[in-house]
Structures are given as structure tokens and as C-alpha cells.
Amino acid sequence: MDATTSLADDLQDLQLDRVDNKLKSNEELDKLTVDERLSDIERAVYLLSSGQEVQRISVINNLPDLLKDTDSHDECMRRVVPKVREVLHVAQCEMQYAASAAFLQILQKNLVPIQNYTQTFLQTILNSVDGKDPEVSSAWLDTLLDVIELLPKDVIKKEILHDPIAKGQLSQSVAARMACCKILGKICTKFESFVIKKEILPVVQSLCQDVDYEVRGCMCNQLHSVARGLGLEATKSAILPELVELTKDEECSVRVHGLETVVNVLASLDSETCSSTIIPLVCKFCQQAMQAEDSTLPEVGKQIGKIAHGLLAYLTDEQKQWFVDYFKKLCKVGLSLEKLKGNRDIVEKDISPTITEIPDFTEDDKFLECRKNCAYNFPAMVLFIGAKHFKSELLGCFSSLCKDPNVQVRKTVSGGFHEVSRVLGQHVAVLQPDLILLLKDESVDVLRGGLVVIIHCQNQSSMY
């Protein structure tokens, strides 16, 4: 009897729980209900003041539409926008993200005059960049960078420029100094050279020599924008010395950024600078990357196509051959006989018709990434050396990549195979054995690239 009573009580409790849950759901529905007689502006103000998070986000997402409506524009600026700025002080991440996107749209669509935008939305953006949540701050920083693109330079100079200069001081946090780097890089695309020299360049040089490697790397990434704004002579005297030092930085990640910046800044340099400074710098960087076998090596593999073409007009025949020979080495890094454990020499010996993965093959990820980058850059290097010299110079390492023990490398070389064949033109027949090999591969991704080559060849044939 006691057991029966206890069971009945338990069932009753369960039913009560269900009723409570239902009541809670009804309460939540009541909170989400808004008087339909309210105007759009009144509804927005009410929801921002008393609504749920999801309702506030909806209002913010709808803010550009409220401002677009000429009937509600003025009242929206007077009543809704101040309320939005107010709730953002205590808003959660999702609402902050919505506001950052909405504020950018308002400027992109010219929904308010620049003066009004500067006094309201821009001030909120600038304040929000300094928020405590790093992800939210990053979102607002991205918005600020996009906004800078659209604002007149007089507004940027008056309202924004002082902010990154203050953030760039060593007394500021690392996050603030990194934000400064990005803002200065964007601002330099808007101003004349003399303004950059006077207002911005000293801060840029200081950040290039910052005690924190993340700040140095971040500023390094922006140097190509600074160089474009400064012009050739100022770049040679003020930016190149900093860039040279950054490519020799003690931190590997900074050196990686340095090489990337060298590639990006090539278009801003003259032939004398490329010949006397950049070519020796790049060659030394490449040699050290090969010796150290650190994470700069995959970056060299990633950038070598752009480097070779960017410097092609300034290279001697000897230097050109040096780049070709270096590229050959890059295509085979990590593929020593010892690492292959005697299974096969994929460089010098033939292999079985069907390529499969070597189960016990292990290699450093950076070597794999390097060979994959070389495979991606192969069409560019064929263009660099010329179709006539492909067979004698690059066919061997191209075949090596087609036989690579890692499927990611074979997939990449297969994906660019049709580009190589297009560059070779009438010399394309030398690729037939490698194409046949790839078509026997067990990987569907590799086969897909081979089929693209066949389709490409058929299309080319139908044109004649």
C-alpha cells in the first residue's frame, strides 16, 4: 500500500512539473508579445527597453531599414539610435555583432549624413574597439577598418587618427598595439605622403621594433599599405630597413610575415632596389629556411611563384637558374630514403602503377605543406622557366610530385595539371606518363583533377 501511494505521489509530481513547464512557456510567450497598435519606432523603443535579447537583436538588425524610411528617419535618429547605443554598454556578444554589422550597413547605404554618422555611430564604434571581450572587440575593429574605407579623409584625421597613435604607445596592451597596426595600415591608404611621414611613420617604425613579437608581426603585415601611401623614396629610406630586420627576426612567425610583405611590396619598388636589396634578401631568406627547416619553409613554398615572377625582370640568368634549382629542392623536402624507410625512392625510381598511401609513413607537417605549396605553384614556375625548358628543368620534380606518397600533394598537383598543360602548349606530350599515373590513383580527389585535364584537352581539340 505504501509503495502504491509513493508511486502515485511520484506521478503527481511529474504532472505538476509538466504544468509548471507549460506555465513557464506561456509566460515567455507573453514576454515576446508586443502590442500591434504600436508604430515601428515605438515598438523598437519598447523592445530595446523591455524586450528579450532576441527581440533587441531583431531591432538592431532592422535599424538600417528604419533609417531608410523617410517617414521614420528623423524619429529613429532621435529615439531609437540613442537607445541602441545605451543598451550596447551591457549587451552580450550576439547583440554586439549585430550592431557592428548594422552600423557598417548604415554608412555603406548612405542612410545618414556623414556629420551625423560621425557624431553617433562612429563614436560607438571607436569606443567598442576597446571592449573587454576580445572577439567582440575584433568584430568592432573589422567594422572600423571597413568604415575608414568609406569616410572622407578630413573626418578620419579629425576623429580617428589620434586614437591609433595613442594605442600604439608601449604603455598600452598588446591587443591595443595590434589594433593600432591594423588601423594605421588602413589609414595610410587614405592620406598623402607628407601626412603619413609626419603623423604615422614614427609610430609605424616604433611598432616594427616592438618588444612583443605579435605586434612586430602585425605591423609587418601592414607595411605594404604604408609603402603605397609613402611613395618610393620614403619607402626605400624608412620602410625597407625595417622590413629587412623583420625578415631576420628572432621569432619565426615574424619572419614569415616578413617574406609575405616582401612579396606584397614588390610593386612599390624600382628595379635598382629590387636588384640591390630584394633579390639578395630573398635568396638569403630561402637559404636559411632550407637550413633551419622551420615554418618559414612552407611559406617560401607558398610565395615562390609570386617571388619569381615579381623579380623576373631583374634577375640575371644565373639568379634565375638559382630559383629553379631551389624550387626543385623544395619539391622534394622530407622525402629522404631514411624517412621513406626503404619502401621506395619516389624521386629516382619508378613505382607501381597504382599509388596507395604508405601506412607507416610519417613526416613533419611543414615538409608536407611545403611540397603541397610547390605543387600549387607549379604552373607559375613553368611559366617562369618557359615551356621549352620544362623537360630539362622541371619535368623530373613534376613527376616526383605526381608520385608523392601523400595524397594531399597528389591532389594539389592533379588540380593544377590542366594549367601546366596549358602553359606547355605544343610541348604537352611529355606529361602523358604522369597523367596516366594520376588516373590510376586510388584517391577520388586525385582522379577528379585528371579528368579535368582530359576534358580540357578535348575542349582544346574541338577549337581547331
Side-chain angles (χ1 to χ4, degrees):
M1 187 69 177
D2 291 340
T4 304
T5 304
S6 177
L7 179 60
D9 291 340
D10 290 341
L11 290 173
Q12 184 67 23
D13 290 340
L14 287 173
Q15 291 175 355
L16 287 173
D17 288 342
R18 290 174 183 172
V19 172
D20 288 342
N21 289 336
K22 187 175 181 180
L23 288 173
K24 289 178 181 178
S25 297
N26 288 335
E27 290 173 1
E28 290 173 357
L29 287 174
D30 289 339
K31 290 180 180 179
L32 294 172
T33 302
V34 181
D35 190 342
E36 295 181 357
R37 293 171 294 181
L38 295 176
S39 67
D40 290 342
I41 297 297
E42 290 172 335
R43 183 184 298 109
V45 173
Y46 171 77
L47 292 176
L48 288 170
S49 302
S50 308
Q52 301 294 301
E53 179 85 0
V54 65
Q55 293 173 311
R56 292 180 175 183
I57 292 173
S58 177
V59 171
I60 292 174
N61 286 332
N62 195 47
L63 189 58
D65 292 331
L66 288 175
L67 290 169
K68 187 177 181 180
D69 188 339
T70 54
D71 294 333
S72 62
H73 180 280
D74 292 344
E75 192 176 3
C76 180
M77 285 296 297
R78 183 170 54 85
R79 298 182 61 191
V80 179
V81 172
K83 201 68 182 177
V84 170
R85 297 178 67 192
E86 179 185 324
V87 299
L88 283 176
H89 288 297
V90 293
Q92 299 299 314
C93 295
E94 293 303 320
M95 194 183 300
Q96 298 278 358
Y97 297 149
S100 65
F103 285 14
L104 177 59
Q105 284 185 43
I106 291 167
L107 182 60
Q108 289 173 329
K109 296 178 180 179
N110 296 314
L111 299 179
V112 298
I114 290 295
Q115 183 178 359
N116 290 353
Y117 190 90
T118 301
Q119 294 171 351
T120 53
F121 301 105
L122 180 58
Q123 299 308 314
T124 300
I125 294 171
L126 290 170
N127 292 333
S128 300
V129 169
D130 297 325
K132 294 181 180 179
D133 188 309
E135 292 186 3
V136 171
S137 296
S138 178
W140 281 109
L141 177 59
D142 290 340
T143 297
L144 176 59
L145 297 177
D146 290 334
V147 163
I148 290 173
E149 289 269 8
L150 303 171
L151 289 175
K153 59 185 177 183
D154 59 317
V155 173
I156 296 172
K157 187 172 183 179
K158 181 180 178 182
E159 302 291 341
I160 300 178
L161 182 57
H162 62 86
D163 189 63
I165 291 176
K167 282 184 170 66
Q169 303 306 309
L170 193 57
S171 58
Q172 298 295 310
S173 67
V174 170
R177 302 204 301 275
M178 291 177 68
C180 167
C181 297
K182 296 177 181 179
I183 297 171
L184 290 181
K186 184 65 68 172
I187 286 177
C188 282
T189 63
K190 304 285 288 189
F191 286 121
E192 297 85 355
S193 178
F194 72 90
V195 176
I196 299 174
K197 288 179 186 177
K198 180 181 178 182
E199 304 283 352
I200 299 174
L201 185 57
V203 184
V204 169
Q205 291 173 314
S206 173
L207 292 167
C208 285
Q209 301 168 25
D210 196 276
V211 295
D212 189 277
Y213 76 93
E214 289 183 297
V215 177
R216 297 197 302 273
C218 190
M219 191 66 253
C220 184
N221 278 341
Q222 304 300 323
L223 288 183
H224 66 284
S225 298
V226 180
R228 284 203 302 269
L230 279 174
L232 176 60
E233 293 306 319
T235 295
K236 289 164 64 174
S237 61
I239 298 301
L240 271 186
E242 300 294 346
L243 183 54
V244 170
E245 290 303 313
L246 289 166
T247 59
K248 298 186 291 186
D249 197 275
E250 62 184 4
E251 285 291 334
C252 187
S253 61
V254 178
R255 298 198 299 274
V256 168
H257 292 309
L259 182 64
E260 185 178 355
T261 302
V262 167
V263 173
N264 292 333
V265 83
L266 283 178
S268 302
L269 303 176
D270 59 3
S271 58
E272 180 186 355
T273 305
C274 288
S275 299
S276 62
T277 304
I278 300 300
I279 292 175
L281 172 66
V282 169
C283 290
K284 185 175 181 180
F285 188 101
C286 292
Q287 288 172 336
Q288 291 177 340
M290 186 67 75
Q291 291 170 359
E293 294 187 342
D294 55 19
S295 57
T296 59
L297 197 59
E299 184 66 18
V300 173
K302 179 181 177 181
Q303 301 291 347
I304 193 165
K306 293 180 180 178
I307 292 171
H309 280 276
L311 296 175
L312 179 59
Y314 318 116
L315 295 173
T316 64
D317 290 340
E318 183 180 353
Q319 290 169 333
K320 187 175 180 180
Q321 186 62 49
W322 185 92
F323 275 100
V324 174
D325 292 339
Y326 185 85
F327 180 71
K328 292 179 186 179
K329 295 177 183 177
L330 282 181
C331 290
K332 300 175 184 179
V333 293
L335 294 180
S336 64
L337 286 173
E338 292 78 9
K339 289 187 178 181
L340 286 171
K341 298 181 180 179
N343 282 294
R344 59 181 176 228
D345 184 348
I346 68 168
V347 177
E348 298 177 356
K349 296 181 181 179
D350 197 4
I351 64 173
S352 58
T354 301
I355 300 178
T356 58
E357 293 297 302
I358 302 175
D360 59 352
F361 180 81
T362 58
E363 60 177 331
D364 196 307
D365 287 343
K366 61 177 173 284
F367 294 143
L368 167 60
E369 192 67 22
C370 186
R371 299 201 308 277
K372 192 166 69 171
N373 289 341
C374 286
Y376 179 82
N377 271 296
F378 219 97
M381 293 305 294
V382 175
L383 199 61
F384 174 76
I385 194 65
K388 292 181 179 179
H389 303 288
F390 172 77
K391 184 175 181 179
S392 60
E393 293 289 353
L394 293 180
L395 179 58
C397 60
F398 184 75
S399 298
S400 171
L401 292 172
C402 291
K403 301 170 186 176
D404 196 278
N406 192 287
V407 68
Q408 293 298 319
V409 177
R410 302 199 304 275
K411 174 186 173 182
T412 305
V413 76
S414 176
F417 202 108
H418 68 287
E419 290 292 340
V420 174
S421 64
R422 182 181 61 81
V423 175
L424 288 179
Q426 62 182 356
H427 303 278
V428 72
V430 296
L431 297 181
Q432 183 178 353
D434 295 312
L435 177 59
I436 293 173
L437 187 66
L438 291 175
L439 290 173
K440 294 179 179 179
D441 202 284
E442 291 188 347
S443 168
V444 174
D445 291 330
V446 176
L447 289 173
R448 188 179 290 114
L451 293 175
V452 170
V453 177
I454 294 174
I455 295 171
H456 174 76
C457 292
Q458 288 177 338
N459 291 338
Q460 289 294 105
S461 299
S462 64
M463 293 174 62
Y464 298 100

